[in-house]
Amino acid sequence: MNSMGVFSLKVFGLDQVKSFSAGSLLMYESVDKLLDVSGLLRSSGLKVRGVDLADIVKSLGCGVLDGKRSIRAIDLDVKGSGKADYVNNKLNVADKRVLYRAVELLGSTGHNLYETLTQVFQKKMGIEIVQADFDYSSSYFEGVTVSLAKHGYSRDHRPDKKQVKLGLVQVNDEKFARTYFLESGEKTDLTQFAKDFPKARKHLPKGTLVVIDRGISVPKNLALIAKEHRYLAGLKKGKEIKAKIRALKQDTGKLVDLKGGYKFFAEKNIANQTFYFYSEQLFQQHQAKRKKKFQQRYEKALKTKNKDKKKVTKTSLQKTVIYTQVNIQNRLLPKKREELEQDFLSHDGCYDGWFVLETNDEKMTAEQALKHYKDKDAVEKVICTLKQDCKLRPFNVRKDACIKGSLFISMLASLVLGVFYFTQKQHLGKMSTRTLIEKMKTLTLDLIYNTTGQIIEQVFKNVTALFTKLFPQLQT
C-alpha cells in the first residue's frame, strides 16, 4: 500500500489527470498509523484473488466516508478516480466481486478485529473510563432478505421491512462505539441487554457508571449491572411512579430547584435512590408532540372508509358465500375542535414534562444524575452518524456473513471518524462529525499521468489552514 505522501515534479507531455476527494484517505491513514489497522489485517495473511485484504478494507472504509452507498459505487469510484493507484493498483483490474468477497470474508473476523482496535486505542490513550452508555437501534433490508432478518420494532419507522438489531456500547463522550452487537430484528431491548452486557463487561472497569434508558431498565437487568458497576437508569411511568408524580403535583413545595429550569424530588431506600425531575420546557415539547398527533387523528376521523366484507357459511353438503356491503365511518364526538384538542392534550398528560431516574450510587446528587443522563445523548449521536454518514441503512446484501461484514465496514468508518476527531479535537473544537465529513470532501488530490500511464505529479487542492494543522504532510 502506498502512503499518501506529497511530491511535485515538473510536468512534460501530459496525457491525463485524475482527481478525487482525498480527505477520507488522509483521515484513514492518520488513524491507521495510531491503531495499525492495516498491520492487523496483513498479519492474518488474508488476500482476495491476490489483493491484500488490508487495501480492500481501506478502499471500502474510505468509500463509505465519501458517501458511496454500495460496493458497486465504491468499485467505480476507486477505478475511475485514481484512488486505486494509491491504495493498490491491482484494484484497477480486479473484478468488483473481489470487494463483495472481502465483505463476506470480514463477516467472521470483523467483530473481533473491531474490538482489538478499540483495545489498542484504550491502551495507547490511557483513557479513564467513567461512563458507559448502552443503546439499541435497527437497520432494515431492501430486496432479498436473509436468516438474520426478522420483523420487529423498527427505529427507522419501516415496520413493513425485515431488519436486524444493533447494540452499541459507547464510553464517556467519544464519538464512536467501543464494541457492538448484532442480532435478528425481533429481539427486544430487555432480552438483548441481558445477553449483551456480560460480553461488554470486559471493556468496563469495576465501578463504571452504566447508563441505560427506560427500554432496558427492569429489575433483572439493573441487578445484573449492580454486581460490579454503578447504574443510572430511566424508569417507565408505571402505576406507582404516576401516583408519586400526582402527589408531587399537589405538593410542589417538596420540589427543589436546579439550574436550567429543572425541579426535582429525591427518594432514597436501602439499595438505591430515585430522582423525580420536572421541566417546563420538556412539558412544552411533549405537548407540541401531542398537538401534532391530535391533528393527524382529527383529519383521519373526518374521512369515511368503505370496504367489502365476505361472509362464508358451511353445511355438510355445501358452502354459501354471502357478499355484504359494510359502511364504516369514523365520526367525531359532538364537541368543538378546541374541546376535543384540549381533552386529547390533557389525557394522561399530567405526566408530561416529568421523568424519573434511578441509581444505586448513594453519593450521586440530582445535578450529577441529570448531567450523566444528558451525556447519554452521545451514543444516540453515534447511531445517527452510523446511519446517515456511514451508510448503515439499508442493507443490500444476501448472506448473514455479508451483513456482518457490511456492518463492520460501517463501524470501521465510524471508528476512523471518531478516533480522528478525538486526536484532533484541539483543532476541530465543537465541529460536528457531519461538518467534518463535508469539509474533508473539499480536499482533493490531482494525479497527473504521463503518456505511459505513470504518475508524475501529485497536487493537493483546496488546502486550507485547518487542513495543514490536521495533516502535517500538507505543510511541505
Side-chain angles (χ1 to χ4, degrees), residues 31 35 37 44 97 116 147 171 191 197 258 271 314 327 394 399:
V31 174
L35 304 183
V37 184
S44 67
R97 285 177 292 183
T116 300
S147 60
V171 168
T191 57
F197 184 75
L258 275 179
K314 296 182 179 180
N327 292 325
K399 299 179 181 179

Side-chain angles (χ1 to χ4, degrees), residues 175-191:
K175 298 182 181 296
F176 61 93
R178 285 298 185 100
T179 188
Y180 64 92
F181 305 98
L182 180 69
E183 290 292 342
S184 54
E186 86 284 5
K187 304 290 185 180
T188 65
D189 292 358
L190 293 175
T191 57

Side-chain angles (χ1 to χ4, degrees), residues 23 431 434-443 466-467:
M431 183 186 299
R434 176 167 294 181
T435 301
L436 175 60
I437 289 175
E438 293 304 316
K439 282 186 177 295
M440 286 298 164
K441 290 179 181 178
T442 65
L443 177 62
L466 175 62
F467 288 143

